[in-house]
Amino acid sequence: DVEAGQQIEALLGEERSRGVTLVLTTHDLERGFALCQRGVVLRRGELRWDGRLADLDRGRVENDVLRVLGDHD
């Protein structure tokens, strides 16, 4: 549901702006990039990547699960 997704994004954005740390698990990279600045990539339970989302090579993690963390770590 597009409308519900937009409402959730708005709520998470408000919480982040108040300094709340977010932990978001998503397969939607665009949503993760819109909401967070830091991420962790896991594949079959193994850490594949950890860092700033701006540094992530999206092509390398196409089939991985992206766990996106808020910028307050």
Side-chain angles (χ1 to χ4, degrees), residues 4-59:
Q6 291 171 342
Q7 290 174 347
I8 291 169
E9 283 184 35
L11 175 64
L12 294 176
E14 289 172 17
E15 292 300 308
R16 190 177 107 184
S17 69
R18 292 183 332 134
V20 174
T21 297
L22 303 175
V23 177
L24 174 68
T25 302
T26 183
H27 287 64
D28 183 346
L29 289 178
E30 296 309 315
R31 179 168 285 159
F33 276 85
L35 292 171
C36 303
Q37 295 177 351
R38 185 170 179 272
V40 176
V41 176
L42 302 174
R43 177 143 179 119
R44 296 188 177 129
E46 293 184 26
L47 180 65
R48 297 279 305 257
W49 182 86
D50 180 359
R52 292 177 343 115
L53 293 179
D55 298 332
L56 178 65
D57 178 357
R58 294 184 199 192

